[in-house]
Amino acid sequence: MLHRAAREALARTARQLAAEGLVIGAAGNLSARATAEHIVVTPTGAALATLAAEHVAVLDRHGQLIDGPFAPTSELALHLALYDDRPDGPGAAGAVVHTHAPMATALACVNTLTEVPVVHYAMAELGGSVRVAPYATYGTPELAEAVLTALEDRTAALMANHGAVTVGATIDHALELMRLLEWACGLYWHARAIGKPRVLDEQALAPVRGAITQGRYATRRPASGRSPDPGAARARRPR
Ligand SMILES: [Zn+2]
């Protein structure tokens, strides 16, 4: 089986997302770089709770199916756009996780919410406040572009009336970021239910950002040691 280890890791992560309630049924998709030329991605309509490595699709960087029995996810344009946007260097996209996680998706349905502000220092791992990308039909280049813009300088974004996406150095890292995002959305929700949340400013966040950059913020670091550097991604952005 081509890219067996990468396919097994992706399938395992898919089953984990389902077991933790972050995806229900086929309402989510994920991908990871297997090599510079190939990505592994969940198939379209797949029940993530029972996904096996042999079901995972292997694609080239243009989205052409190389191996696997099923067509790739209908949200492929979003995944490919992210790998194109963050091809290499410290901020490279190594994996992408997209879910309709309950807390994150609920906040993404609130008309007046354009971003989830930084109410906890751990959100520095997400790059800061989490923007909400405007609504566009699933699977379209318009949605991919909107999410790309929302992800500028970030490792996470919400998608209006749809869900959430995280970009990590590895599939384990992207999974951790999705867990963190869902937790942060629940935190913000609860804080707002009681009163006006106290938002951390850039000065408060700077030491945490520094610790992340230097790898001293260890709780959520990927084993590969590749830490996302959204600034590097931004520098490459044409806009
Ligand atoms: Zn979706």
Side-chain angles (χ1 to χ4, degrees):
M1 185 165 52
L2 184 63
H3 302 314
R4 174 183 289 275
R7 287 162 91 162
E8 283 175 348
L10 198 81
R12 189 172 58 243
T13 306
R15 296 193 301 268
Q16 249 162 3
L17 283 164
E20 293 175 23
L22 292 170
V23 298
I24 294 161
N29 40 74
L30 42 158
S31 68
R33 277 191 210 275
T35 64
E37 291 301 315
H38 289 167
I39 65 164
V40 291
V41 58
T42 49
T44 183
L48 297 194
T50 54
L51 193 74
E54 57 265 32
H55 300 148
V56 171
V58 179
L59 311 181
D60 70 14
R61 58 190 303 156
H62 308 293
Q64 203 65 39
L65 186 67
I66 303 292
D67 194 26
F70 304 118
T73 170
S74 54
E75 210 61 87
L76 182 63
L78 171 63
H79 292 258
L80 293 177
L82 278 162
Y83 294 118
D84 279 351
D85 189 56
R86 302 182 181 191
D88 47 36
V96 176
V97 169
H98 163 59
T99 72
H100 304 171
M103 294 287 177
T105 305
L107 293 194
C109 295
V110 176
N111 197 28
T112 51
L113 193 77
T114 55
E115 63 172 25
V116 182
V118 182
V119 288
H120 194 285
Y121 75 86
M123 290 177 72
E125 280 278 285
L126 305 175
S129 61
V130 180
R131 301 187 193 100
V132 183
Y135 182 80
T137 306
Y138 79 93
T140 59
E142 289 74 21
L143 178 60
E145 183 57 35
V147 173
L148 233 59
T149 302
L151 273 169
E152 209 167 321
D153 292 340
R154 302 289 190 271
T155 58
L158 300 185
M159 302 150 74
N161 306 86
H162 183 157
V165 63
T166 57
V167 185
T170 64
I171 191 62
D172 287 344
H173 185 215
L175 168 65
E176 277 302 313
L177 291 171
M178 184 56 71
R179 287 171 173 149
L180 174 61
L181 174 63
E182 178 69 353
W183 173 81
C185 287
L187 189 71
Y188 179 65
W189 179 331
H190 284 117
R192 267 196 72 163
I194 298 170
K196 188 172 188 291
R198 191 184 306 113
V199 175
L200 293 174
D201 61 17
E202 198 47 49
Q203 191 183 356
L205 216 55
V208 189
R209 285 191 195 275
I212 290 169
T213 306
Q214 293 163 31
R216 287 187 284 109
Y217 186 72
T219 55
R220 294 180 187 276
R221 290 267 51 82
S224 75
R226 275 209 291 161
S227 65
D229 176 3
R234 178 187 49 181
R236 281 192 303 276
R237 293 285 288 160
R239 75 190 71 243

